[in-house]
Amino acid sequence: MVSPESVLSPPAAGLLSPQLDGLGVVLHPDGGRLRVWSGAADAVDLVVFDDTDLDWITATEPLAPTGGGVWEISTPLLRPGTRYAIRVDGPQGAGNTFNRGTLLLDPYARGLERTGYDGWRSAVVEGSFDWGGVSKPAVPMDRTVLYEGHLKGMSKRHPDVPGSLRGTYAGLAHPAMVKHFLDLGVTSIELLPIHAFATEPRLLQHGLANYWGYNSLGFFAPHGAYATEEARRQGPEAVLREFKGMVRLLHEAGLEVILDVVYNHTAEEGIGGPRSSLRGIDNRAYYRQQDDGVYIDVTGCGNSLNTSTDAAARLVLDSLRYWANDVQVDGFRFDLAATLGRDETHAFTPEHPLLRAIVDDPALAGVKKIAEPWDVGMGGWQTGNFGDGWTEWNDRYRDRVRNFWLSDVDYARRASTSPVGIGGFANRLAGSANTFAEARGPLAGVNFVTAHDGFTLRDLVSYDVKHNFGNGEHNRDGADTNRSFNHGTEGPTDDLGILATRRKAMRNLLGTLLLSAGVPMLTAGDEFARTQRGNNNAYCHDSVLTWLSWEHAPWQRDLYAHVRHLLRLRRENPALRPSRFARLGERTPSASVMEWYDERGETMSLERWTDPAHRTLQYVAASTPEFEGFNRVLLMVHGTEHPTTVTLPDVEDVTRYVSLWSSADETPSELTPTFEPGDTVALPGTSMRLFRAE
């Protein structure tokens, strides 16, 4: 067996100090052992509670220091089901917030349980589960289609999911939900945070809730409220078992489970906020601070985890190992990942020991690692800079695609010409080579047009401005720059022309997303055009505003058919999903050789790339076989509202073009008419069309 230390770079190997092994509770035949790290503590106590009254302390035992800041106790009091807390005492002074009277959560607790009097208790979880030989699907990155959704919101209103399962872990794995995922054609379900989380006090004062879950209480326990009532009644062990059951059922269907993980900050907020765990254990070591104890907040959430310390970085790494191995999840999307890569000077470095450890750790081999490559601190925007082993959310892609199909069209209506040409859009379509290093290839980028944060697809084409008054912040929250376009009126309308134009705009956005090189991410509900009524920051609404509706008008079913059709075409045409960038004059396996033509069928000139008056191109992509057969496609893109005629290019070895899809169609056509090089094709304004080149 290869030890992790032998394959990690020297800086990352420091995270794996044996002194930091086995933190949390480890069960043994005579009880359990608890290990807690606090580099500055003077004393640490274990506090055990009654099995039924979580406010009744039944025992208190001291932990002994064992060196390196670790405190330890072995006791028969720690058994499966034990509810416990820790108390930590230490010196006072700038940056320290020790208080021996505060009951704290074990950062490594596999189960958490709410108590009405004093917040939360840790729970000892045994964790055994019969996986029945079911293994991870291991979907290759070039075939991965991410489907980002909220665990509760996806099934909460589904009529075919039994009422007792709606909005739960079990509900997400119900056959009705699995059928939807498979019929649509996605491969990997990316869940908004399911780590145990809490609602901020200010939201509770407004009668709202933290729905999205980006407010972690602990990094090892699943959120109890997402379990069925029966599992919650049985306790944390049953909650974890239900979560694992969900993973197993999705894996049986060939679907991956990706977790959106929030390691950049915790629910303890800023100084004066809740003191639930890390702040009371060793505030100075776990949170970024100035010398006087003032927090350095690069997350916008009150605190930032200080991953420049071994203990904090190891906490993250151990959490990832647990979910990837004990719970068998397939990957992670790291919220505000730039925070995790900040060093002791609080500057981002792609060679941060934690970032390298996550990539190099054998325990995380084969696990998908997706970075949200920014935070809100100085130097926080790092798209393209995470290096080998990482895939990154590509916000440049999002912005350019929205501009091309929406804000540029809005501008052209008022100024009679578009503001820019098609060159920047073409770069995004072909894999964003100007953002990701050649060695990393197009699969380094996750392409997206919408996400949980921001307008839904339907709202993106229906609103010019955000409508967030229901959030209790006087419409000040949420992004002001959305690159959206309402196409003539704000919000709902009965104007048939505007509605038709909006539908075509959605088809163009989805067509671009699903036919681009890179890893596509579809936001749950966009396949049938859900709306949040113009709210672009619905994090605090646990209601029908955010739960998916499964009752759809005919036009919504037509849009779903387009998405399903596009995903099938993506699967069938490897030229659309290259793994590498092509090199001029070289044969690069699994790359797509790209040729660009204008509407006349001629090679694109430099002037045509940049001329705002010429926003029409033809893109020919030919695969370089490595694992699949040869394939070649042609994609037409027309980015103005005036119709045009396009001449099909004369490409070497191409004798005909077979029509596969058009964004101008209200429903996907089953017809596949063929054309010859030199034939002309009429394109309506702002539209796309895909052909297979044979």
Side-chain angles (χ1 to χ4, degrees):
M1 178 177 178
V2 178
S3 67
E5 292 90 336
S6 68
V7 295
L8 294 179
S9 60
L15 303 179
L16 298 178
S17 166
Q19 291 179 318
L20 295 177
D21 289 347
L23 294 176
V25 172
V26 176
L27 292 171
H28 53 68
D30 299 322
R33 184 196 69 202
L34 170 65
R35 284 165 58 84
V36 176
W37 185 91
S38 177
D42 293 331
V44 180
D45 292 331
L46 166 68
V47 180
V48 177
F49 299 91
D50 181 76
D51 288 343
T52 57
D53 184 350
L54 300 188
D55 295 319
W56 179 12
I57 296 174
T58 60
T60 301
E61 299 284 347
L63 278 70
T66 63
V70 174
W71 299 72
E72 181 177 311
I73 184 175
S74 292
T75 171
L77 295 172
L78 293 171
R79 51 181 170 70
T82 296
R83 274 67 165 182
Y84 68 102
I86 56 177
R87 285 175 171 156
V88 183
D89 199 5
Q92 300 303 304
N96 291 328
T97 57
F98 293 109
N99 185 331
R100 196 163 190 170
T102 303
L103 296 168
L104 302 169
L105 295 173
D106 172 9
Y108 280 75
R110 267 60 165 172
L112 297 182
E113 193 159 5
R114 182 118 200 194
T115 172
Y117 176 73
D118 198 25
W120 300 86
R121 302 287 181 255
S122 303
V124 178
V125 171
E126 190 270 330
S128 62
F129 184 79
D130 181 6
W131 291 99
V134 176
S135 58
K136 296 183 180 183
V139 179
M141 285 302 291
D142 71 299
R143 289 183 171 271
T144 297
V145 179
L146 299 166
Y147 185 81
E148 188 209 36
H150 191 281
L151 186 286
K152 179 178 182 179
M154 282 190 279
S155 69
K156 181 63 177 177
R157 302 174 68 188
H158 199 299
D160 296 331
V161 175
S164 62
L165 302 184
R166 292 177 188 167
T168 69
Y169 299 124
L172 187 74
H174 185 271
M177 294 301 302
V178 171
K179 179 178 182 296
H180 174 71
F181 301 144
L182 295 179
D183 182 71
L184 183 61
V186 297
T187 68
S188 309
I189 313 304
E190 182 178 309
L191 298 174
L192 267 64
I194 57 79
H195 287 172
F197 64 87
T199 291
E200 299 87 333
R202 64 176 181 80
L203 288 179
L204 294 173
Q205 292 171 2
H206 289 287
L208 299 170
N210 188 318
Y211 174 65
W212 287 351
Y214 292 89
N215 203 43
S216 302
L217 275 169
F219 299 148
F220 289 81
H223 191 57
Y226 291 159
T228 57
E229 183 177 353
E230 176 61 21
R232 296 197 306 271
R233 184 187 64 77
Q234 294 179 27
E237 188 82 56
V239 171
L240 177 60
R241 188 164 54 248
E242 183 178 316
F243 186 93
K244 290 181 176 179
M246 175 197 75
V247 174
R248 173 178 165 172
L249 288 171
L250 292 174
H251 282 177
E252 285 180 342
L255 295 163
E256 293 184 318
V257 178
I258 311 294
L259 300 186
D260 192 334
V261 285
V262 188
Y263 296 121
N264 57 81
H265 76 281
T266 75
E268 292 186 304
E269 302 184 30
I271 291 291
R275 188 202 315 249
S276 57
S277 184
L278 302 180
R279 177 173 292 142
I281 294 172
D282 195 328
N283 184 60
R284 172 63 80 180
Y286 279 112
Y287 293 120
R288 295 187 179 276
Q289 304 169 41
Q290 299 176 11
D291 291 341
D292 60 2
V294 173
Y295 276 7
I296 297 172
D297 179 12
V298 298
T299 67
C301 300
N303 65 62
S304 304
L305 195 71
N306 186 8
T307 54
S308 68
T309 68
D310 285 345
R314 180 65 178 269
L315 175 65
V316 173
L317 192 64
D318 284 347
S319 172
L320 295 170
R321 291 167 161 182
Y322 171 71
W323 290 99
N325 295 287
D326 291 60
V327 193
Q328 288 287 290
V329 303
D330 304 275
F332 305 94
R333 178 267 188 189
F334 294 80
D335 182 64
L336 299 183
T339 299
L340 304 183
R342 290 182 180 269
D343 61 20
E344 65 278 2
T345 70
H346 315 298
F348 174 83
T349 170
E351 296 305 316
H352 190 286
L354 176 58
L355 298 186
R356 295 316 313 162
I358 291 171
V359 170
D360 296 339
D361 192 342
L364 299 177
V367 172
K368 291 181 167 68
K369 305 164 184 77
I370 303 168
E372 182 184 38
W374 54 79
D375 62 21
V376 301
M378 289 290 292
W381 187 75
Q382 294 292 334
T383 304
N385 294 333
F386 268 69
D388 293 343
W390 289 93
T391 301
E392 304 173 40
W393 271 28
N394 189 352
D395 56 322
R396 287 180 168 181
Y397 178 95
R398 173 200 63 200
D399 293 348
R400 177 63 71 177
V401 172
R402 288 187 181 190
N403 282 347
F404 186 81
W405 292 117
L406 299 175
S407 54
D408 287 0
V409 175
D410 179 24
Y411 182 95
R413 284 192 182 185
R414 292 179 281 107
S416 300
T417 184
S418 298
V420 297
I422 203 167
F425 174 83
N427 183 281
R428 300 301 161 196
L429 192 69
S432 298
N434 64 345
T435 298
F436 301 108
E438 179 182 301
R440 297 179 67 194
L443 298 180
V446 169
N447 296 331
F448 65 108
V449 175
T450 66
H452 66 276
D453 185 4
F455 280 142
T456 66
L457 181 70
R458 181 173 174 181
D459 290 353
L460 195 63
V461 304
S462 304
Y463 295 90
D464 279 353
V465 296
K466 64 187 181 184
H467 295 263
N468 297 355
F469 290 98
N471 296 0
E473 299 183 46
H474 307 287
N475 208 40
R476 292 192 297 262
D477 64 305
D480 293 313
T481 302
N482 296 285
R483 296 174 169 83
S484 60
F485 180 31
N486 67 20
H487 292 88
T489 191
E490 187 75 355
T493 181
D494 295 326
D495 187 301
L496 297 180
I498 290 176
L499 291 174
T501 304
R502 288 176 177 176
R503 291 194 298 272
K504 180 152 62 73
M506 286 189 281
R507 295 193 294 270
N508 286 330
L509 290 164
L510 289 166
T512 303
L513 174 66
L514 301 179
L515 300 179
S516 292
V519 180
M521 184 185 78
L522 182 68
T523 304
D526 277 354
E527 68 269 34
F528 38 69
R530 77 179 186 97
T531 179
Q532 291 177 168
R533 301 197 293 273
N535 191 318
N536 75 349
N537 190 35
Y539 75 104
C540 55
H541 294 279
D542 186 358
S543 68
V544 293
L545 181 71
T546 51
W547 303 336
L548 300 193
S549 171
W550 296 91
E551 296 180 2
H552 305 136
W555 71 268
Q556 291 175 291
R557 292 193 288 272
D558 288 341
L559 185 67
Y560 176 89
H562 273 281
V563 177
R564 184 173 180 269
H565 185 71
L566 285 163
L567 285 172
R568 178 176 62 81
L569 293 176
R570 185 179 183 87
R571 290 193 301 274
E572 294 175 351
N573 292 277
L576 293 169
R577 40 184 175 81
S579 299
R580 300 183 179 94
F581 291 125
R583 295 180 179 180
L584 186 64
E586 297 183 20
R587 185 186 186 279
T588 305
S590 292
S592 287
V593 178
M594 300 167 185
E595 302 175 53
W596 305 89
Y597 302 90
D598 61 21
E599 67 272 22
R600 299 169 301 191
E602 299 175 357
T603 299
M604 286 282 286
S605 65
L606 179 61
E607 293 75 15
R608 290 262 169 162
W609 284 116
T610 57
D611 187 349
H614 294 281
R615 286 165 54 96
T616 306
L617 65 74
Q618 300 182 78
Y619 160 53
V620 176
S623 71
T624 308
E626 184 176 13
F627 306 109
E628 301 178 76
F630 176 73
N631 172 243
R632 182 159 39 192
V633 297
L634 178 147
L635 181 63
M636 292 179 178
V637 177
H638 178 49
T640 71
E641 292 197 291
H642 304 292
T644 192
T645 299
V646 177
T647 301
L648 288 162
D650 187 2
V651 178
E652 184 178 0
D653 296 330
V654 173
T655 59
R656 67 172 188 166
Y657 295 96
V658 181
S659 180
L660 301 176
W661 175 77
S662 171
S663 70
D665 296 336
E666 286 285 352
T667 60
S669 176
E670 297 298 322
L671 302 177
T672 55
T674 61
F675 302 83
E676 295 181 359
D679 287 351
T680 58
V681 176
L683 284 185
T686 54
S687 64
M688 306 175 70
R689 191 159 180 177
L690 180 70
F691 301 81
R692 185 172 60 251
E694 299 178 342

